[in-house]
Amino acid sequence: MHSVNGADSYSDNIQLISGEQEFTHGLFPGESLTLSDELPRYMAKVGLDHAGFNYNLIAVFGSQSTGKSTLLNKLFGTKFETMDEAARKQTTKVRGIWMSRGVNSNILIMDVEGTDGRERGDNQDFERKSALFSLATSEVIIVNLWEHQVGLYQGANMGLLKTVFEVNLQLFQKNSTKERSLLIFVIRDHVGTTPLSNLQTLIQADLTKIWSTLSKPAGLENCQIEEYFDFQFTALSHKILMPDKFDAEIAVLQKRFAEKSHKDYVFNPVYHKRIPADGLSVYASGIWTQIMSNKDLDLPTQQELLAQYRCDEISALAVEEFNRIIKVVEANSNAGRVIPDLGNFMTEAREAALKIFDTEASRYHNQVYQRKREDLRNKTDSRLHVLFVAQLSALHKSTITEFQSSIQSKLSSGSYDFANLLSTALLIAETRFIEQANKCNVEGAGWAFDVELDLLKTELEELGTKLRQEEVDRALNRTEKQIRNAIDEPISMVFKKPDLEMWDRVLSLFNDILDIEVERFLNHSKGFNATDEENESSVEELKRKAWLALRAKIDEEVSESNMLLKLRENFEDKFRYDSEGVPRVWKPSDDIDGYYRAARDEALKLIPLFSLFKLRDGSEPDIPIPQTETLSHSKLIQVLSASKQHDLSTRFKKSADALYVEAKRSTISNVSQ
Ligand code: GDP
Ligand code: MG
């Protein structure tokens, strides 16, 4: 790269513009703002990177070898290379623009090193460029000249000043507010015979002469030099011949740069070019690129470009910090957790990012700053909105869970009015959701959550309906069990004395119990807040269950073993006991066959009686429920199938036969006694 001779000895300097007219090492020419980090590193090294506007920029102009670098080093404690050192080290002085921070001050000084003037064309070109560059950036320009050069209008200095004025007009003509700069003339090797005031008058006459010869841009034909520049004059004695006097005068001059209360304090704020320290590098390199491409140097545009570039950079830093802050919460959010105090957290994260941005970026072009701030805010808010939406979905889940468990715990606690319980739980769930959703809103964002709320309401209502249905089902089952219990004994009793009105009694008994239980159920279900249709279908379901219970009870009663028992008992009552209930002792004269037939036929009549659910008058019971596969009318009526009846009679006959044989035998044994 462009290694500088003896670079190490310039550790406190930076070569801003190289001899080859490149902006610090590594700037890529063209429109691109890509640049090396030389200047930013230097700014950081000398501790000015966060100075904002709290720094000053000076440039020095003057012919070659007029002691400029020597003056700067004396005034500001800098270490710019002077001709003495160059000669001692036998190096040729390096052209370009050098920059250094003054010792114990926030002043950045640019030492402009031209050529020795032999190649005039080249020299003038660089002179013009460096003048443009210095005026676009510096508040104060020191013009260094020998006393004997004063009044020589044709002198090299005057050419330089002409260039300075020209480029100044070019530079600031587009600005509505006129930028001002201060020119300090330092007259060197002042002998003292001509007083400073005389020299000053001479210089001012020259300046006016130069100004009048300039061709001014349209609209500025009559502008005055004083509209653009303020002037100060000072003189210094010969450094080598009168070193003590020179040093004393330097000390006096220093005060104008250091003491704000000094009547000639040089850094009037109006001179400041309003480039924040952290943007100096981008701005200066942009200006230099424009100058090198011979484009019109439009400072407002440059400031806007700078603002865009820097605001983007600062915004990126702000986003980095923002990311760091919300990372943990984002992880929790992804895990579907409800994050406590999310709203405040998000507001704070956003404020932290905006604060970082505002601190540095607010110094830049206001419209650009405002626009980029809005961009940043949108960027952070869209990230936060994702968290907001995730929080809503987590809230949704937890609300549903809480809703369910609150109802369940009340249900298990026993006494409750379900409708009341449900509406209270719904209200609590909704209110809490709204409250928490509002709480996790970012300040000022006012994000809506109507859709999420509607979704929650729908789900809660569905859930409520489901819970109510479960509750109704539980009540139905309970009632069914009660019916089952209630019919068990009485129906068994009815079947113990089977006769032609047996089914009438079963039916009326059953209907009485059912009526009571339906009424009880309806009373209870008032608490479910059910509609008439719902109640109707519940009652229908209840009746269906009751009929199934009845059918199960009948089935149990007519099981094969029960039926056989009934038949046998019936048979035995007639066959083995007389009409007074006294056991018979068979005598051979007894008509065993006759008794047997009568008792058997009597018992066999039970089979058809039990087989069909038929009332005394021959009608079938009215079953007031729709037919289903498990519960068809005929199934309820047909208690015993034909084949079962057949089996029953066969088996019963066998056991009756056995009793008959036993009776026969007993007469034989009675006779033999
Ligand atoms: P620059 O090229 O303008 O930066 O000048 P330098 O600071 O390198 O100095 C050029 C020469 O002038 C050196 O040899 C210095 O010693 C000498 N010099 C510095 N200050 C003065 C001064 O006040 N009077 C005279 N006559 N010579 C000086
Ligand atoms: Mg020099």
mmCIF file of all heavy atoms in Angstrom, residues 338 393-403 436:
data_model
loop_
_atom_site.group_PDB
_atom_site.id
_atom_site.type_symbol
_atom_site.label_atom_id
_atom_site.label_comp_id
_atom_site.label_asym_id
_atom_site.label_seq_id
_atom_site.Cartn_x
_atom_site.Cartn_y
_atom_site.Cartn_z
ATOM 1 N N VAL A 338 -46.301 -17.388 28.339
ATOM 2 C CA VAL A 338 -46.778 -16.035 28.596
ATOM 3 C C VAL A 338 -45.665 -15.300 29.329
ATOM 4 O O VAL A 338 -45.182 -15.772 30.358
ATOM 5 C CB VAL A 338 -48.058 -16.045 29.456
ATOM 6 C CG1 VAL A 338 -48.456 -14.623 29.819
ATOM 7 C CG2 VAL A 338 -49.186 -16.734 28.719
ATOM 8 N N SER A 393 -51.255 -15.506 21.618
ATOM 9 C CA SER A 393 -51.586 -16.922 21.441
ATOM 10 C C SER A 393 -51.288 -17.705 22.716
ATOM 11 O O SER A 393 -52.039 -18.622 23.073
ATOM 12 C CB SER A 393 -50.868 -17.458 20.193
ATOM 13 O OG SER A 393 -50.034 -18.512 20.506
ATOM 14 N N ALA A 394 -50.213 -17.317 23.421
ATOM 15 C CA ALA A 394 -49.932 -17.959 24.715
ATOM 16 C C ALA A 394 -51.034 -17.622 25.725
ATOM 17 O O ALA A 394 -51.472 -18.472 26.501
ATOM 18 C CB ALA A 394 -48.568 -17.518 25.238
ATOM 19 N N LEU A 395 -51.470 -16.363 25.686
ATOM 20 C CA LEU A 395 -52.552 -15.932 26.578
ATOM 21 C C LEU A 395 -53.834 -16.704 26.280
ATOM 22 O O LEU A 395 -54.563 -17.091 27.184
ATOM 23 C CB LEU A 395 -52.840 -14.448 26.357
ATOM 24 C CG LEU A 395 -52.032 -13.446 27.183
ATOM 25 C CD1 LEU A 395 -52.419 -12.035 26.785
ATOM 26 C CD2 LEU A 395 -52.282 -13.653 28.667
ATOM 27 N N HIS A 396 -54.072 -16.890 24.993
ATOM 28 C CA HIS A 396 -55.240 -17.652 24.558
ATOM 29 C C HIS A 396 -55.242 -19.030 25.221
ATOM 30 O O HIS A 396 -56.207 -19.430 25.864
ATOM 31 C CB HIS A 396 -55.215 -17.768 23.028
ATOM 32 C CG HIS A 396 -56.351 -18.553 22.443
ATOM 33 N ND1 HIS A 396 -57.417 -17.960 21.827
ATOM 34 C CD2 HIS A 396 -56.575 -19.882 22.393
ATOM 35 C CE1 HIS A 396 -58.259 -18.885 21.419
ATOM 36 N NE2 HIS A 396 -57.762 -20.065 21.745
ATOM 37 N N LYS A 397 -54.085 -19.707 25.083
ATOM 38 C CA LYS A 397 -53.970 -21.055 25.661
ATOM 39 C C LYS A 397 -54.183 -21.032 27.162
ATOM 40 O O LYS A 397 -54.935 -21.835 27.716
ATOM 41 C CB LYS A 397 -52.590 -21.628 25.345
ATOM 42 C CG LYS A 397 -52.538 -22.238 23.958
ATOM 43 C CD LYS A 397 -51.337 -23.158 23.809
ATOM 44 C CE LYS A 397 -50.888 -23.247 22.360
ATOM 45 N NZ LYS A 397 -49.615 -22.589 22.086
ATOM 46 N N SER A 398 -53.499 -20.099 27.849
ATOM 47 C CA SER A 398 -53.591 -20.108 29.311
ATOM 48 C C SER A 398 -54.996 -19.720 29.773
ATOM 49 O O SER A 398 -55.483 -20.213 30.775
ATOM 50 C CB SER A 398 -52.537 -19.187 29.924
ATOM 51 O OG SER A 398 -52.874 -17.844 29.684
ATOM 52 N N THR A 399 -55.642 -18.834 29.010
ATOM 53 C CA THR A 399 -57.009 -18.446 29.366
ATOM 54 C C THR A 399 -57.945 -19.649 29.280
ATOM 55 O O THR A 399 -58.765 -19.878 30.184
ATOM 56 C CB THR A 399 -57.521 -17.334 28.424
ATOM 57 O OG1 THR A 399 -56.589 -16.260 28.417
ATOM 58 C CG2 THR A 399 -58.862 -16.819 28.888
ATOM 59 N N ILE A 400 -57.789 -20.406 28.208
ATOM 60 C CA ILE A 400 -58.626 -21.602 28.033
ATOM 61 C C ILE A 400 -58.406 -22.581 29.199
ATOM 62 O O ILE A 400 -59.342 -23.090 29.813
ATOM 63 C CB ILE A 400 -58.286 -22.309 26.700
ATOM 64 C CG1 ILE A 400 -58.614 -21.408 25.515
ATOM 65 C CG2 ILE A 400 -59.001 -23.658 26.591
ATOM 66 C CD1 ILE A 400 -60.041 -21.359 25.088
ATOM 67 N N THR A 401 -57.110 -22.803 29.510
ATOM 68 C CA THR A 401 -56.781 -23.735 30.593
ATOM 69 C C THR A 401 -57.375 -23.268 31.915
ATOM 70 O O THR A 401 -57.992 -24.043 32.646
ATOM 71 C CB THR A 401 -55.252 -23.859 30.747
ATOM 72 O OG1 THR A 401 -54.700 -23.987 29.451
ATOM 73 C CG2 THR A 401 -54.869 -25.039 31.604
ATOM 74 N N GLU A 402 -57.181 -21.973 32.214
ATOM 75 C CA GLU A 402 -57.712 -21.431 33.467
ATOM 76 C C GLU A 402 -59.231 -21.543 33.513
ATOM 77 O O GLU A 402 -59.807 -21.880 34.556
ATOM 78 C CB GLU A 402 -57.334 -19.951 33.595
ATOM 79 C CG GLU A 402 -56.001 -19.728 34.285
ATOM 80 C CD GLU A 402 -55.555 -18.288 34.133
ATOM 81 O OE1 GLU A 402 -56.413 -17.382 34.240
ATOM 82 O OE2 GLU A 402 -54.354 -18.062 33.900
ATOM 83 N N PHE A 403 -59.833 -21.255 32.383
ATOM 84 C CA PHE A 403 -61.296 -21.315 32.272
ATOM 85 C C PHE A 403 -61.792 -22.720 32.628
ATOM 86 O O PHE A 403 -62.674 -22.902 33.461
ATOM 87 C CB PHE A 403 -61.688 -20.929 30.846
ATOM 88 C CG PHE A 403 -63.143 -21.101 30.522
ATOM 89 C CD1 PHE A 403 -64.094 -20.209 30.992
ATOM 90 C CD2 PHE A 403 -63.563 -22.159 29.724
ATOM 91 C CE1 PHE A 403 -65.428 -20.359 30.673
ATOM 92 C CE2 PHE A 403 -64.903 -22.320 29.401
ATOM 93 C CZ PHE A 403 -65.841 -21.425 29.881
ATOM 94 N N GLN A 436 -54.843 -8.301 29.897
ATOM 95 C CA GLN A 436 -53.452 -8.695 29.663
ATOM 96 C C GLN A 436 -53.001 -8.330 28.264
ATOM 97 O O GLN A 436 -51.840 -7.980 28.054
ATOM 98 C CB GLN A 436 -53.278 -10.193 29.898
ATOM 99 C CG GLN A 436 -53.612 -10.559 31.336
ATOM 100 C CD GLN A 436 -52.909 -11.816 31.754
ATOM 101 O OE1 GLN A 436 -51.704 -11.941 31.593
ATOM 102 N NE2 GLN A 436 -53.646 -12.777 32.265
#
